[in-house]
Each structure stands twice: as structure tokens, then as C-alpha cells.
Amino acid sequence: MDKRVHWHVLGAGAMGCLWAADLARAGHEVTLLLKPDHPAGTGSVMVEDGQSVQSSIIRTAHTSTQPIQHLLVCTKATDTVTAVTMHHASLTEDACVVLLQNGMGQHQQLAERFPGIRLYAALSTDGAWLKAPFHVVHAGHGLTRIGGYTRNATAIALLPALHALVLPIEWTDDIMPALWLKLAINCAINGLTALHDCLNGELLDDGPRQRTMQQLCEEVAAVMQATGIAVTTGDHLYQAAVETAQKTAENRSSTLQDFRAGRATEIPALNGYIVSAGERLGIATPANRDIVDRIMQRRPLPPSTA
Ligand code: KPL
């Protein structure tokens, strides 16, 4: 049976390019949906991985001329609803929509806006950054976990369309604890790397940075316990954040890349999500609030001494 399908990938950042290239390499037809300010046509996506550079030819477009059956959303979390709404008319009735993003809140917003949508959540521990438009550096090898967000989002409806990928994927029946764990890791790493202008691994070089990471994790754990999502401790989340910072030590976090380039960051869907949840639940989240305020006001942290 020919399992090749037509994937539409929304978002030409590092993750969008990495996945578009891998889906094309696996034999799928791929259309990368671009913002109107990027020229569309046929182009190549380069993936640099250590010494090797691979190029995949893919189609780029602003809108789809064909019905969309498989949509991979790699935009910033904060752009999700606007971006999917733009292409919603092209989605088939039983289309699979996969959100591969950092952050929390966008899945629920989309499910509420489009009742009946077949929505999946995916999260990745890969480290990747854009060297130039459509040229991605795969800096850290990780794993992508995927699970259904809505009840109709079954494994059987999606997994055949993800066969033969080089990027390792794992189906997860209950994706929510994994989403929260990734949220905690991103809350501990992303904003701090941007505010210190440092690589992920450099967060572990000094005591005050580690203590801030620990406090951020304590606050996320308190919110998680209050929402009943999963029983966890700040220490457990902190260990997971440290492990990720070690594994992606040479990576520039997505927030650092955005912050340096003067772009909007995903912090509202990361630390901002924790601050809002904390307000609702009556839990103080000063460390997360400080990250949000500093990123919004573009106020980097002063250099620290260990
Ligand atoms: O998800 C990431 C990001 O940069 O957004 C990590 C895991 C922190 C890797 O850099």
C-alpha cells in the first residue's frame, strides 16, 4: 500500500523547515505554507547536521490550491489560531491537524474555535536553528512525542502518514503530562537564555542562573499540582530542565533567536501561561512574571557572579 500523502507545513522557522525536509525525504509531497512576505514557488530546504548538509526540494505557497488532509503547524504558539484560521477553509472534514510547538493554551483555543477538528499535540526535544531562510542547523538530536488532543485524534488516523521519517517519533496515549513537562522545561530555559544572551548549556555555568531555573520550576509544579494535571515536584521538573540544557548545550533556544532578531517571542504561551494560570488558581508566580515582564520590556538581566 502506498502510504505517501500530501503534507502542508505551516511555519518556515527551524522546526517547520526541519520537518518539511524530513517529510519530503520520506517520500511525501510537501507544501510549505508561507507568510505573504516570502516569495512562493519551488525551493530547497537545507538541513545541516554535523558535517552533512542535505537538500530537499519542496513546494512553497501562500495558500493551498488543494484540500488539506494533513497539516503540520510549526508557527509560534501565539500565532496558531490566526494561522490555522487563514487555511481552515481548505481543511478536509477529517483532516489531521498536528501542532508541533512550544507552549500551552493554543490547543484549547483551536479546539474551542473549530469544534470537531481532529487535533494532535506534538512536542520535540530536538534542538534546531535557522542559519538563513530555509537553511536549518539540526544542533541537538531529540525525540518527538505525538498524541491526540481531541477525542477523534486517533493514532490510526495519523501514524501511517508519518512512516519512514528519519526524525524519531513516539506515539503517546496521554499527551498532557508530556506537554506540561515540556512547558516546564521551556519556562526554565527559554526566557533566561534570551535575557542572559547565552546558549542553553551556559545556564548551568553559574549558581544564580540555576537557582532562578529552580524557582521557575517550583512555580510551574505548584500550578500543575493545583490543576491536577500530574503529581510532580519542582525538583523533578528542574532535573528535567537541567538534562535538556545539557543535551542541547550548544543550542540557541528559540526564544533567544527571536529576542536577538527583535521578533515577538513565545514567552506569553510559556511563562505567561503559568502567570495567568497562577492568577486563576491563587498561586504566586513571581519568577515567571519577572521573565514575562523583562522579555516584554526588552530588559536583559544583569551579568551574575556565581
Ligand atoms: O524547545 C527548546 C527551544 O529552544 O524552544 C529547547 C528544548 C529549549 C531547545 O533549545
Side-chain angles (χ1 to χ4, degrees):
M1 194 177 78
D2 188 357
K3 293 184 187 151
R4 281 174 299 180
V5 302
H6 186 170
W7 274 96
H8 287 78
V9 179
L10 198 42
M15 276 310 203
C17 287
L18 185 67
W19 272 75
D22 202 32
L23 287 164
R25 246 186 296 169
H28 298 292
E29 193 180 339
V30 177
T31 302
L32 191 53
L33 294 167
L34 303 176
K35 287 185 178 158
D37 50 345
H38 283 77
T42 302
S44 62
V45 171
M46 315 264 273
V47 178
E48 201 174 308
D49 206 330
Q51 298 303 314
S52 90
V53 182
Q54 295 219 23
S55 162
S56 306
I57 304 294
I58 53 162
R59 200 177 317 137
T60 55
H62 297 134
T63 52
S64 175
T65 51
Q66 289 168 30
I68 301 178
Q69 177 67 40
H70 294 92
L71 179 66
L72 178 65
V73 183
C74 300
T75 61
K76 279 201 187 79
T78 40
D79 294 340
T80 309
V81 175
T82 311
V84 174
T85 303
M86 270 180 67
H87 300 282
H88 185 254
S90 302
L91 289 177
T92 62
E93 218 168 281
D94 59 349
C96 295
V97 178
V98 184
L99 303 190
L100 173 57
Q101 300 163 316
N102 289 331
M104 197 74 99
Q106 69 275 24
H107 313 83
Q108 194 182 339
Q109 286 167 13
L110 216 53
E112 282 170 7
R113 174 125 188 196
F114 301 116
I117 192 170
R118 194 196 286 266
L119 190 61
Y120 296 84
L123 46 98
S124 164
T125 52
D126 279 293
W129 54 279
L130 269 193
K131 198 170 187 174
F134 309 111
H135 184 157
V136 59
V137 179
H138 192 190
H141 287 236
L143 174 72
T144 300
R145 290 206 167 81
I146 305 181
Y149 185 82
T150 52
R151 288 172 80 88
N152 55 355
T154 57
I156 193 79
L158 178 71
L159 293 185
L162 291 173
H163 84 287
L165 292 183
V166 173
L167 293 169
I169 60 168
E170 186 178 279
W171 176 262
T172 306
D173 282 328
D174 184 6
I175 196 73
M176 287 317 284
L179 278 183
W180 273 90
L181 180 61
K182 181 75 197 306
L183 176 70
I185 291 170
N186 288 129
C187 283
I189 294 178
N190 288 41
L192 273 187
T193 53
L195 294 170
H196 285 294
D197 196 27
C198 71
L199 299 173
N200 293 354
E202 288 171 343
L203 286 180
L204 308 176
D205 289 351
D206 101 10
R209 292 179 192 181
Q210 290 184 39
R211 281 194 286 284
T212 308
M213 285 174 75
Q214 215 153 6
Q215 198 189 339
L216 290 162
C217 289
E218 291 294 343
E219 294 175 10
V220 177
V223 168
M224 281 174 79
Q225 281 155 14
T227 48
I229 287 292
V231 182
T232 190
T233 61
D235 206 44
H236 170 73
L237 299 180
Y238 174 66
Q239 291 311 327
V242 167
E243 207 178 294
T244 303
Q246 283 165 343
K247 279 196 183 140
T248 61
E250 295 304 311
N251 200 46
R252 296 186 192 113
S253 78
S254 52
T255 305
L256 171 58
Q257 294 172 55
D258 288 334
F259 196 67
R260 269 192 188 173
R263 295 188 293 258
T265 73
E266 287 186 313
I267 291 299
L270 302 174
N271 309 80
Y273 183 85
I274 294 299
V275 171
S276 306
E279 275 167 5
R280 248 189 350 264
L281 297 160
I283 293 167
T285 56
N288 281 278
R289 187 180 290 278
D290 189 50
I291 297 281
V292 175
D293 291 347
R294 284 179 179 278
I295 292 280
M296 295 319 222
Q297 295 156 13
R298 299 196 67 81
R299 255 190 315 124
L301 281 156
S304 49
T305 43

